[in-house]
Amino acid sequence: MEAFTTHTGRAVPLRRSNVDTDQIIPAHWLKKVTRDGFEDGLFEAWRKDPSFILNQPERKGATVLVAGPDFGTGSSREHAVWALQNFGFKAVISSRFADIFRGNSLKNGLLTVIVEQKIVDALQELTEKDATAEVTVDLEAREVRAAGITAAFELDENARWRLLNGLDDISITLQNEADIAAYEAKRPSYKPRTLQS
Amino acid sequence: MGRTLAEKVWDDHVVRRAEGEPDLLFIDLHLLHEVTSPQAFDGLRKSGRQVRRLDLTIATEDHNTPTLDIDKPIADPVSRIQLETLRKNCADFGVRLHPLGDVEQGVVHVVGPQLGLTQPGMTVVCGDSHTSTHGAFGGLAFGIGTSQVEHVLATQTLPLVRPKTMAITVDGELPDGVTAKDLILAIIARIGTGGGQGYVLEYRGSAIEKLSMEARMTICNMSIEAGARAGMIAPDQTTFDYLEGRPHAPKGEDWDAAVAYWKTLKTDEDAEFDAEVVIKADELAPFVTWGTNPGQGAPLSADVPDPASYEDASERLAAEKALEYMGLEAGQPLRSIKVDTVFVGSCTNGRIEDLRAAAELVKGRKVADGVRMLVVPGSARVGLQAVSEGLDVVFKEAGAEWRHAGCSMCLGMNPDQLAPGERSASTSNRNFEGRQGKGGRTHLVSPQVAAATAVLGHLASPADLSDAPVAAGV
Ligand code: SF4
């Protein structure tokens, strides 16, 4: 995973609430067996509409998505995160994310930033008026900044540390091999097994 | 202070706890299917890792599998590749797999419980949000993303932050014709699709205690639609009776030891929940959704709501968009909505009890002209059981299509899909835009409402069927 310290880029204001993962990446895209090549599936149904914001030429190359509340609800598909990343997004800002989506995003180094709705509104207004306006997501300072807007955001220390250092969860866990083995040794015998020994 | 059920199960699985870190939890059962696992196996290969506990891992094929002509090669090349990839991965790593055609194949959340692999007090994960289903046995069961699938394959653990707990207390008795599905739809409409976020829900109260395991699974299944990653119900005699004698249930002394432990899995009297919702079962009625998220539902006797009646601006906008997508008018009675498709199946309502309930209502009646009714057992075993009870014949005689097990029309990944503009009454769990096929319109219903709707051609409750009497002599 790539380390994330701070990122500055142009933004796409997405004025929709409850954007579910079926909208982010429709089910028929889930048949791919790789982690890349999902960019064309991102918001596929909405992108058929030429007036959809992501289709606007001035939004090309934007890297920050400013979304309505309850972003990423629904299915656990990590493809939603890959699609956003494949498209070029580095961060998503919303007042509320679905739990699984948020977990998936942080595991893949897509920073999901939670700020109050009034900050989301302000960012959307700013970037709607001015497509060239830049938004900075500063993970070191835990701050979102844009012209006239500065807002702190919360992220637990552990997740932040992993993101800042680009650490892979599995290697961290495997450092605790002895704990896992000790736990396994005391599991009760009545727990089911899928393979008969 | 006492602990809640969720806290007890959590504590029993902590492998490592350290200040400022998420807890490292041991995972008792890892279920795999073809959609969310390929990239995880790929990751293992790249880093030269193995599956740590093959004996706690099991795979089946469900999302992409066709429900007709299952002995023929799969027509869609992309679906085929995904299934072939799972088969190769399971063979390479040694994972037990139940492929299409196998007697234990089926929707992953139907297969685990029916094999007796899902038991009280366990941690169960799967790369699928409806893993919450397994919480019906009194374990912690939740959906995970593909990176976490890889993590569990490699370490049999997951680093997790302890969620908050919410009690959903349902007292009283469900009126006749009102099912677990109606109850959970009503709960979601009450707390909203984000209401359970950050919580594990514990369903409790006298109405829950009276439910069968199948009905409990229907409820826990849809916890995720209220935003909660997990839902659970304390195990009791109903749970033990369901499990006893199943292939992977403990036997002999192990059974006694297990039951003794399972009996401790109850929220203590003095435990505190972080939030609580109380629902009166007696006030509930058959419930259907009119919109494009599972929280947009109402009793069947109601009218399609007027978006203008919502105070919250984003809810109003969501309702407007939903009505436009669904092709509905505010104020139109829900009962006047005509459907062209009825789907009975999925991990929400594809178990034997669901099929029996639907069969009982269509028996001797006919599916309305112009309506196609698909009945899809949740697993091959459920299918066999239904056939042994003659339910397939009942459905076929009524004019419904009897299919092979799989996710089928729950989601548009296999050949069973709605065409643009088509409208369904569906016993599945998601009515998102395009969920059942591009442009398809979905109303979530119980199996009973699905059956009545199939016969009458418009959204209807079992009670409405008195106008469509069973044919004489049948
Ligand atoms: S039946 Fe539907 S909800 Fe259940 S696992 Fe299959 S696709 Fe998911």
Side-chain angles (χ1 to χ4, degrees):
Chain A
M1 190 171 92
E2 249 178 77
F4 191 118
T5 46
T6 179
H7 174 78
T8 300
R10 284 179 291 113
V12 177
L14 183 69
R15 282 206 189 253
R16 291 179 191 246
S17 60
N18 233 309
V19 173
D20 60 66
T21 47
D22 279 73
Q23 305 309 324
I24 301 173
I25 186 91
H28 69 99
W29 279 88
L30 309 196
K31 294 181 182 175
K32 285 170 57 66
V33 292
T34 57
R35 280 177 194 246
D36 40 33
F38 289 98
E39 57 276 8
D40 291 339
L42 180 69
F43 301 126
E44 188 182 49
W46 297 339
R47 271 166 69 199
K48 298 229 163 77
D49 171 4
S51 69
F52 180 59
I53 186 133
L54 234 55
N55 292 329
Q56 307 303 310
E58 67 270 23
R59 300 292 169 182
K60 213 165 178 229
T63 51
V64 178
L65 185 69
V66 187
D70 290 321
F71 188 84
T73 54
S75 117
S76 62
R77 62 189 68 158
E78 201 153 323
H79 313 66
V81 172
W82 302 332
L84 286 159
Q85 288 183 313
N86 292 165
F87 192 85
F89 286 110
K90 303 278 184 218
V92 185
I93 302 175
S94 168
S95 62
R96 202 153 67 164
F97 292 96
D99 290 342
I100 301 181
F101 175 81
R102 181 127 207 273
N104 287 342
S105 69
L106 297 176
K107 286 213 156 39
N108 284 275
L110 175 74
L111 187 56
T112 38
V113 179
I114 304 175
V115 292
E116 281 175 74
Q117 187 58 38
K118 64 171 199 257
I119 303 293
V120 174
D121 292 341
L123 287 167
Q124 289 186 332
E125 231 160 79
L126 171 77
T127 53
E128 245 161 29
K129 279 202 202 110
D130 178 5
T132 66
E134 293 200 320
V135 176
T136 296
V137 178
D138 185 340
L139 182 59
E140 278 177 323
R142 273 189 260 220
E143 216 169 60
V144 176
R145 292 185 298 270
I149 303 166
T150 305
F153 64 85
E154 292 287 312
L155 185 68
D156 73 81
E157 200 35 55
N158 190 266
R160 178 167 168 264
W161 167 73
R162 281 164 200 238
L163 282 165
L164 284 173
N165 295 291
L167 287 177
D168 145 30
D169 272 358
I170 298 180
S171 357
I172 298 174
T173 296
L174 287 176
Q175 293 169 0
N176 303 315
E177 166 64 38
D179 294 327
I180 304 174
Y183 183 93
E184 283 174 324
K186 68 174 179 42
R187 281 179 86 235
S189 64
Y190 56 73
K191 294 267 184 177
R193 289 165 190 268
T194 56
L195 305 175
Q196 315 289 22
S197 46
Chain B
M1 199 179 69
R3 293 177 300 162
T4 62
L5 167 58
E7 286 159 352
K8 289 183 183 183
V9 179
W10 185 281
D11 289 346
D12 284 348
H13 289 85
V14 175
V15 168
R16 175 190 149 86
R17 180 171 279 164
E19 187 57 31
E21 285 177 33
D23 285 350
L24 190 63
L25 283 205
F26 193 82
I27 302 302
D28 286 320
L29 179 64
H30 188 188
L31 304 156
L32 295 166
H33 62 85
E34 75 272 18
V35 184
T36 50
S37 64
Q39 293 88 352
F41 280 111
D42 227 30
L44 287 188
R45 265 194 202 95
K46 282 203 184 112
S47 46
R49 292 178 177 131
Q50 293 295 317
V51 177
R52 183 184 180 94
R53 294 295 300 263
L54 288 167
D55 61 337
L56 305 182
T57 310
I58 187 170
T60 185
E61 301 173 352
D62 51 11
H63 286 63
N64 282 273
T65 52
T67 58
L68 282 176
D69 299 329
I70 63 160
D71 46 344
K72 304 228 173 77
I74 291 169
D76 176 353
V78 198
S79 283
R80 196 169 64 229
I81 288 174
Q82 210 162 57
L83 293 171
E84 282 167 359
T85 306
L86 180 71
R87 289 172 197 179
K88 176 166 188 331
N89 285 334
C90 288
D92 286 359
F93 287 88
V95 173
R96 171 174 168 188
L97 167 72
H98 295 293
L100 184 62
D102 186 275
V103 67
E104 300 298 352
Q105 175 266 344
V107 182
V108 65
H109 310 307
V110 179
V111 169
Q114 103 193 346
L115 283 171
L117 280 168
T118 305
Q119 297 172 15
M122 287 173 64
T123 45
V124 180
V125 298
C126 173
D128 189 285
S129 57
H130 294 102
T131 309
S132 58
T133 312
H134 306 262
F137 290 80
L140 264 176
F142 45 87
I144 55 178
T146 300
S147 296
Q148 290 174 306
V149 171
E150 185 182 337
H151 197 283
V152 177
L153 287 173
T155 71
Q156 204 59 34
T157 64
L158 270 183
L160 292 165
V161 177
R162 191 198 268 256
K164 292 180 286 182
T165 56
M166 182 188 291
I168 304 221
T169 307
V170 191
D171 281 322
E173 197 144 353
L174 291 173
D176 261 0
V178 179
T179 68
K181 182 65 163 286
D182 303 303
L183 170 59
I184 187 65
L185 286 173
I187 291 172
I188 300 165
R190 162 89 86 85
I191 71 175
T193 52
Q197 211 157 301
Y199 294 97
V200 170
L201 310 182
E202 184 185 331
Y203 303 96
R204 53 215 308 262
S206 55
I208 301 291
E209 286 159 21
K210 279 174 220 145
L211 296 176
S212 67
M213 283 318 295
E214 272 98 341
R216 293 180 190 184
M217 284 188 256
T218 301
I219 291 185
C220 289
N221 174 275
M222 291 192 71
S223 302
I224 181 73
E225 310 307 333
R229 277 180 80 168
M232 57 202 315
I233 294 173
D236 59 13
Q237 198 57 44
T238 306
T239 321
F240 310 152
D241 291 346
Y242 177 96
L243 277 169
E244 194 163 13
R246 294 205 174 247
H248 290 270
K251 295 183 177 60
E253 276 173 31
D254 271 349
W255 172 261
D256 299 334
V259 172
Y261 169 59
W262 296 346
K263 286 188 171 161
T264 68
L265 297 171
K266 272 190 187 45
T267 292
D268 295 327
E269 292 282 345
D270 56 342
E272 272 175 35
F273 289 93
D274 298 298
E276 184 153 15
V277 172
V278 178
I279 307 259
K280 293 204 175 73
D282 309 76
E283 292 170 5
L284 296 174
F287 218 83
V288 301
T289 62
W290 47 266
T292 52
N293 73 53
Q296 291 175 322
L300 182 59
S301 56
D303 298 336
V304 174
D306 185 350
S309 67
Y310 289 93
E311 269 169 34
D312 180 88
S314 73
E315 269 186 59
R316 193 179 322 129
L317 191 67
E320 276 167 16
K321 286 214 163 89
L323 292 196
E324 190 189 318
Y325 181 85
M326 294 295 289
L328 297 174
E329 300 286 334
Q332 169 182 8
L334 287 169
R335 271 199 170 79
S336 72
I337 299 172
K338 289 201 162 63
V339 304
D340 24 58
T341 303
V342 172
F343 169 58
V344 176
S346 87
C347 60
T348 314
N349 281 125
R351 282 171 285 268
I352 189 68
E353 196 176 87
D354 303 309
L355 302 191
R356 284 181 193 139
E360 192 186 325
L361 291 168
V362 300
K363 186 166 190 174
R365 297 189 166 105
K366 287 278 180 230
V367 172
D369 282 346
V371 173
R372 122 179 111 136
M373 181 185 195
L374 241 64
V375 185
V376 187
S379 70
R381 279 254 179 246
V382 169
L384 286 176
Q385 175 68 27
V387 168
S388 78
E389 296 177 21
L391 304 186
D392 59 324
V393 178
V394 172
F395 286 119
K396 284 188 251 179
E397 280 180 357
E401 296 178 40
W402 172 253
R403 296 293 187 88
H404 186 76
C407 293
S408 183
M409 206 183 261
C410 179
L411 94 173
M413 273 191 92
N414 58 68
D416 304 341
Q417 300 194 14
L418 292 181
E422 272 188 336
R423 185 184 298 281
S424 77
S426 173
T427 66
S428 54
N429 45 41
R430 288 200 172 134
N431 52 344
F432 298 159
E433 290 183 19
R435 169 79 177 181
Q436 295 190 294
K438 233 178 245 165
R441 296 160 168 166
T442 305
H443 298 276
L444 299 178
V445 299
S446 71
Q448 285 83 339
V449 168
T453 299
V455 171
L456 295 172
H458 58 82
L459 292 181
S461 74
D464 300 332
L465 280 179
S466 52
D467 303 336
V470 176
V474 183

